[in-house]
Amino acid sequence: MGNDKYKTKLSNGTHPRDHDHEHKHDQDHDHDHDHNEHDHEHKHDHNDHGHNHSHDHHHGHSHGHGHGHDHAHGIGHHHHGPNNEKGLTIALLITASIMILEFFGGLLTNSLALLSDSGHMLSDAAALALSLVAMWFAVKPAAPNKTYGFYRFEILAALFNGATLFVIAGFIIWEAYERLLNPPTVSSGSMMVIAAIGLLANLGSAWVLMRKGDVKDNINVRSAYLHVLGDALGSVGAIIAGLLMLAFSWYIADPIISVVVALLILKSAWGVIKHAIHILMEGTPVTIDCEDVKRSLLHIHGVRDVHDLHVWTITSGLDSLSCHVLIEDDADSQDVLQQAIHLIERKYKIMHTTIQVETSSLQHGELKV
């Protein structure tokens, strides 16, 4: 993940190195490793469970090179916030209850607006349940064949939730089209009562998610939150349609309002899908400007160039960065490395970094990305 062939991935506490410099280390090579107490610097912060490693290797090859790697890791210790699970559970119970009420209410009143909203709530209940399952998967420890663990399951869940919204909106629009051609009589009074109960319940679910969950930064919780807001819009639409039918007998208002709600649902769903795909495609987080990151690193004394810079999101709230930093031959690689770590953590809030420090003597092949 991340496309950087020099990036070290974690697996059971090991740090495999992948150097693409076309040289071999075997028993036939005479090389000397100078590993003193200053070459290996281990720092452990038990408050956030992150740890940094700096390695300075000097190999006795004809094309000698020096480089340092730093790994400031948050993998395996990423948290979704203590209340996300509780907020989703409460919202799921409320949504499932109102879904049943609106489904039978729609059948009794012959209201498409109520039936469409209950169908939307069915999707919401499934989305909330899937979000809870995703959170459970995300806390599972990393494995040798899944060095980032199961964090991406959250993103897949958000993508699936967005896709289901598209499907449900399509069904609503199709049924509305048929009802526009032949508007049925609707029991508007009962319809409005049921819709009002649904609206209050949806607003309650949205409030719980806002108070208990991380709606702003966690795409999984945000997709569930948008599902609940879509339900609230459906209830509002049903109430408006009921008023128009009760006052003017405009039964065509029921399918028209249903289409308007469906279009609003599509807009929200597209935002979730686009964000999820951006993460899965290793896109740069929207809060990070790679050019600004590069300029900031170049301001560190002794840094000549920054290349092969990648910033991507593993899951909501957990970004990663990797890059190569070319320094002056007489610069202190460990000092430059430490400054870079602190800069990235402080300014960009990225705790998982992999930085390769290079001098002019280092030669490596052309990188594809």
Side-chain angles (χ1 to χ4, degrees):
M1 193 176 299
N3 298 329
D4 183 4
K5 64 176 68 178
Y6 294 96
K7 181 168 63 275
T8 302
K9 296 184 177 179
L10 290 180
S11 176
N12 297 330
T14 61
H15 302 273
R17 302 180 187 88
D18 180 15
H19 299 288
D20 187 20
H21 305 322
E22 297 188 5
H23 59 271
K24 299 179 180 178
H25 296 271
D26 54 39
Q27 296 178 351
D28 297 329
H29 282 74
D30 181 19
H31 53 276
D32 177 52
H33 296 270
D34 181 17
H35 290 178
N36 57 42
E37 61 180 332
H38 299 292
D39 290 330
H40 290 274
E41 178 179 306
H42 301 275
K43 299 183 179 180
H44 297 274
D45 184 350
H46 297 285
N47 293 325
D48 62 5
H49 303 281
H51 54 277
N52 301 326
H53 299 278
S54 299
H55 304 285
D56 188 25
H57 301 256
H58 300 284
H59 301 287
H61 295 286
S62 58
H63 61 283
H65 56 279
H67 49 95
H69 293 278
D70 171 76
H71 310 282
H73 299 293
I75 298 300
H77 304 286
H78 173 61
H79 299 285
H80 305 279
N83 296 319
N84 277 345
E85 186 175 349
K86 182 178 180 180
L88 286 171
T89 301
I90 295 173
L92 174 59
L93 293 174
I94 295 174
T95 299
S97 300
I98 301 305
M99 174 195 72
I100 296 172
L101 174 65
E102 288 199 339
F103 176 72
F104 287 104
L107 292 178
L108 292 173
T109 61
N110 198 29
S111 169
L112 174 62
L114 278 182
L115 287 173
S116 63
D117 199 36
S118 68
H120 185 204
M121 281 195 163
L122 175 62
S123 169
D124 287 355
L128 291 166
L130 184 60
S131 296
L132 286 169
V133 171
M135 286 189 171
W136 178 75
F137 262 100
V139 297
K140 293 181 66 176
N145 63 339
K146 290 183 177 63
T147 55
Y148 279 103
F150 293 84
Y151 290 120
R152 280 288 172 87
F153 195 89
E154 281 191 310
I155 309 304
L156 293 174
L159 180 62
F160 179 79
N161 288 344
T164 57
L165 284 173
F166 260 76
V167 173
I168 288 175
F171 277 119
I172 294 173
I173 292 173
W174 176 255
E175 180 65 22
Y177 169 73
E178 294 186 345
R179 290 201 174 202
L180 281 172
L181 300 178
N182 187 21
T185 301
V186 178
S187 301
S188 54
S190 300
M191 167 188 168
M192 285 190 295
V193 172
I194 297 172
I197 295 173
L199 175 61
L200 292 175
N202 285 318
L203 292 178
S205 296
W207 181 82
V208 168
L209 288 175
M210 284 287 290
R211 291 293 300 270
K212 302 290 185 181
D214 186 9
V215 172
K216 181 180 178 182
D217 296 322
N218 189 303
I219 185 176
N220 190 33
V221 177
R222 185 160 68 89
S223 68
Y225 176 72
L226 289 176
H227 268 272
V228 172
L229 285 186
D231 283 337
L233 288 173
S235 297
V236 170
I239 293 172
I240 294 174
L243 287 172
L244 292 173
M245 288 183 286
L246 185 65
F248 307 105
S249 296
W250 289 352
Y251 295 109
I252 198 173
D254 185 53
I256 290 176
I257 292 295
S258 299
V259 170
V260 172
V261 171
L263 293 176
L264 292 173
I265 291 172
L266 285 175
K267 183 177 184 296
S268 297
W270 174 242
V272 171
I273 291 174
K274 185 169 66 172
H275 189 189
I277 291 176
H278 183 74
I279 292 175
L280 293 173
M281 291 295 293
E282 308 285 5
T284 302
V286 294
T287 57
I288 302 295
D289 180 355
C290 279
E291 288 301 318
D292 184 66
V293 174
K294 184 174 182 178
R295 284 193 297 269
S296 297
L297 290 172
L298 286 172
H299 284 151
I300 297 175
H301 180 70
V303 174
R304 293 173 52 191
D305 182 48
V306 176
H307 57 279
D308 196 33
L309 173 63
H310 299 284
V311 186
W312 68 100
T313 298
I314 297 171
T315 191
S316 300
L318 182 57
D319 296 332
S320 289
L321 178 148
S322 68
C323 68
H324 293 196
V325 176
L326 178 64
I327 64 173
E328 301 288 350
D329 290 344
D330 59 350
D332 185 338
S333 65
Q334 301 307 297
D335 180 61
V336 171
L337 192 57
Q338 191 65 75
Q339 290 186 61
I341 296 167
H342 289 162
L343 171 68
I344 293 168
E345 289 180 354
R346 182 185 70 255
K347 187 173 181 179
Y348 303 104
K349 312 303 180 187
I350 299 176
M351 309 303 293
H352 185 271
T353 61
T354 303
I355 299 174
Q356 176 164 305
V357 179
E358 306 171 348
T359 60
S360 60
S361 59
L362 174 65
Q363 302 292 325
H364 60 68
E366 182 178 353
L367 301 172
K368 294 183 178 180
V369 292

